[in-house]
């Protein structure tokens, strides 16, 4: 006769593993290739209710060439809020310097590949960041940032704004000129038509559901890999187009990161020490009107760029009084 299985063999009656090991966030440095990583990150529970106490976290995804240039400001921003955020850094593989042991950025660099400005491998890096962050089940919102970004508000304000938001923040608009529709390739049809082509800022914020859709996309991203070349600039078109086509109803069509394009050209204005004043920072924080969860608000930007290391001293000086970052 078949023997019954004693499930208690080899385990202590006083110890229970449960989901502990399964839910433990994996180390950010691993040996998975992109195909394996995206496949693992695409998995999602189909039961909405969590069988454990879950504190939602915000994943801050830094896409950099080297170090996070304004790290001391971010250190002050994150201080005292452990357990409410995760940090992931994608830097150029040629960058080998290490962050100090006590830094919030220490050990947060993910396996990375070379990224070229305007090329489709920029999107591959973004998907890599989203995928690594998705491996932590507690990450609920995902913010894409550059090494020259700064926070405009303290952590508590940013966390509340994102966690309680009913929308995603991907800028997406139709631009009928050479840097909008002019970048579209007819070879993208029929998967993507000219009428569906959108443009928007690279720097965005999305929720967990959309992040899973991004890393799982096997329909539209391959089209960009094959046909968005030369002066196409995939980072300004892939996610704005993908989100508008599939998830537009939940999207705010605005970015949470302020950038100054007023001087024209292919790159936004860079800010040095002399450009950082209390009046300037206050304008960035409350200088516009938008909708948040259906209500009017003056808090439309949570982050700003491009700030150079030269501006760090003044940013740290004004952070306590202006941004309430102590």
């Amino acid at each position: 006769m078949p023997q019954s299985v004693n499930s208690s063999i080899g385990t202590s009656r006083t110890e229970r593993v449960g989901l502990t090991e399964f839910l433990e966030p994996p180390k950010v440095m691993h040996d998975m290739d992109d195909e394996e990583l995206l496949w693992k990150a695409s998995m999602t529970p189909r039961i909405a209710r969590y069988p454990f106490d879950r504190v939602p976290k915000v994943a801050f995804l830094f896409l950099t060439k080297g170090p996070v240039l304004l790290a001391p400001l971010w250190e002050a921003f994150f201080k005292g809020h452990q357990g409410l955020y995760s940090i992931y850094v994608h830097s150029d593989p040629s960058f080998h310097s290490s962050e100090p042991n006590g830094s919030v950025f220490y050990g947060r660099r993910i396996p990375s590949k070379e990224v070229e400005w305007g090329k489709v491998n920029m999107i591959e890096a973004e998907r890599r960041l989203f995928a690594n962050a998705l491996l932590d089940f507690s990450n609920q919102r995902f913010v894409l940032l550059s090494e020259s970004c700064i926070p405009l508000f303290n952590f508590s304000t940013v966390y509340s704004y994102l966690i309680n938001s009913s929308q995603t923040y991907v800028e997406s608009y139709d631009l009928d000129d050479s840097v909008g529709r002019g970048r579209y390739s007819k070879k993208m049809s029929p998967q993507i038509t000219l009428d569906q082509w959108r443009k928007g800022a690279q720097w965005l914020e999305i929720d967990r559901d959309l992040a899973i859709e991004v890393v799982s996309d096997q329909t539209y991203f391959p089209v960009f890999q094959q046909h968005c070349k030369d002066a196409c600039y995939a980072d300004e078109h892939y996610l704005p187009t993908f989100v508008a086509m599939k998830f537009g109803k939940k999207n705010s069509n605005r970015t949470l990161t302020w950038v100054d394009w007023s001087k024209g050209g292919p790159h936004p204005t860079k800010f040095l020490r002399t450009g950082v004043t209390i009046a300037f920072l206050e304008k960035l924080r409350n200088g516009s009107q938008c909708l948040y969860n259906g209500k009017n608000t003056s808090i439309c930007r949570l982050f700003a760029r491009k700030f150079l290391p030269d501006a760090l001293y003044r940013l740290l000086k004004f952070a306590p009084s202006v941004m309430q970052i102590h």
Side-chain angles (χ1 to χ4, degrees):
M1 295 179 63
Q3 298 295 314
S4 61
V5 177
N6 186 350
S7 61
S8 65
I9 292 177
T11 63
S12 171
R13 294 180 181 274
T14 60
E15 296 179 0
R16 182 176 183 272
V17 175
L19 290 171
T20 303
E21 295 179 356
F22 180 73
L23 296 175
E24 186 70 23
K27 294 181 179 180
V28 295
M29 191 55 69
H30 51 74
D31 64 355
M32 287 184 286
D33 60 29
D34 282 353
E35 184 178 11
E36 294 168 334
L37 173 64
L38 294 170
W39 179 81
K40 185 176 181 179
S42 69
M43 297 180 182
T44 179
R46 297 183 64 181
I47 298 177
R49 183 180 177 183
Y50 291 92
F52 55 90
D53 293 331
R54 177 179 180 267
V55 177
K57 295 192 293 188
V58 176
F60 292 83
L61 316 177
F62 290 87
L63 182 57
T64 74
K65 295 179 180 178
V68 177
L69 300 178
L70 303 166
L73 179 62
W74 285 104
E75 296 274 1
F77 172 81
F78 288 118
K79 187 176 181 180
H81 300 285
Q82 289 81 0
L84 297 178
Y85 67 85
S86 301
I87 295 173
Y88 303 85
V89 181
H90 186 295
S91 56
D92 192 277
S94 64
F95 176 67
H96 298 297
S97 297
S98 178
E99 297 77 12
N101 199 352
S103 170
V104 296
F105 296 101
Y106 179 78
R108 302 311 299 173
R109 207 178 304 169
I110 68 170
S112 306
K113 295 183 180 181
E114 183 182 4
V115 172
E116 301 167 275
W117 180 71
K119 303 296 184 181
V120 76
N121 56 20
M122 181 82 75
I123 307 302
E124 293 171 357
E126 293 176 9
R127 281 160 53 97
R128 209 171 287 128
L129 280 164
F130 289 133
N132 277 277
L134 282 167
L135 299 183
D136 184 340
F137 282 94
S138 294
N139 288 329
Q140 183 62 33
R141 308 290 300 206
F142 303 74
V143 186
L144 185 64
L145 302 160
S146 76
E147 68 261 44
S148 64
C149 282
I150 66 166
L152 294 175
F153 294 87
N154 62 21
F155 181 88
S156 297
T157 301
V158 171
Y159 179 86
S160 177
Y161 195 104
L162 297 180
I163 292 296
N164 295 310
S165 177
S166 60
Q167 293 186 300
T168 56
Y169 298 89
V170 180
E171 187 180 55
S172 179
Y173 55 91
D174 184 9
L175 188 62
D176 190 12
D177 64 14
S178 60
V179 296
R181 289 195 173 203
R183 293 175 177 173
Y184 172 78
S185 170
K186 293 181 180 179
K187 295 179 181 179
M188 293 183 173
S189 180
Q191 289 90 345
I192 303 170
T193 66
L194 178 60
D195 289 341
Q196 295 170 323
W197 183 253
R198 294 293 183 271
K199 179 183 172 70
Q202 175 184 6
W203 313 106
L204 48 84
E205 191 280 335
I206 60 178
D207 62 12
R208 188 174 185 88
D209 290 341
L210 182 51
I212 292 172
E213 296 292 345
V214 171
V215 303
S216 304
D217 176 25
Q218 297 291 303
T219 301
Y220 305 101
F221 183 61
V223 175
F224 273 79
Q225 286 180 305
Q226 187 172 0
H227 300 300
C228 189
K229 300 178 180 180
D230 300 324
C232 177
Y233 304 105
D235 55 294
E236 295 182 3
H237 295 282
Y238 168 62
L239 282 172
T241 299
F242 178 67
V243 171
M245 290 177 64
K246 306 289 290 183
F247 310 100
K249 291 183 179 180
K250 194 178 179 181
N251 188 46
S252 66
N253 281 340
R254 64 182 177 93
T255 176
L256 294 177
T257 302
W258 181 89
V259 182
D260 181 11
W261 289 99
S262 62
K263 295 183 179 180
H267 300 286
T269 302
K270 297 178 181 180
F271 292 96
L272 297 166
R273 177 181 60 85
T274 52
V276 179
T277 65
I278 291 179
F280 173 64
L281 293 174
E282 289 288 9
K283 181 181 179 182
L284 300 189
R285 285 162 50 88
N286 299 295
S288 56
Q289 290 288 320
C290 60
L291 290 177
Y292 173 77
N293 288 349
K295 298 181 179 180
N296 289 319
T297 181
S298 62
I299 302 179
C300 303
R301 302 285 190 267
L302 301 181
F303 313 98
R305 64 187 300 267
K306 298 174 91 172
F307 290 82
L308 300 184
D310 177 68
L312 181 59
Y313 172 78
R314 283 202 177 185
L315 288 169
L316 290 173
K317 179 181 179 181
F318 298 143
S321 59
V322 178
M323 290 104 91
Q324 285 76 56
I325 297 175
H326 300 280

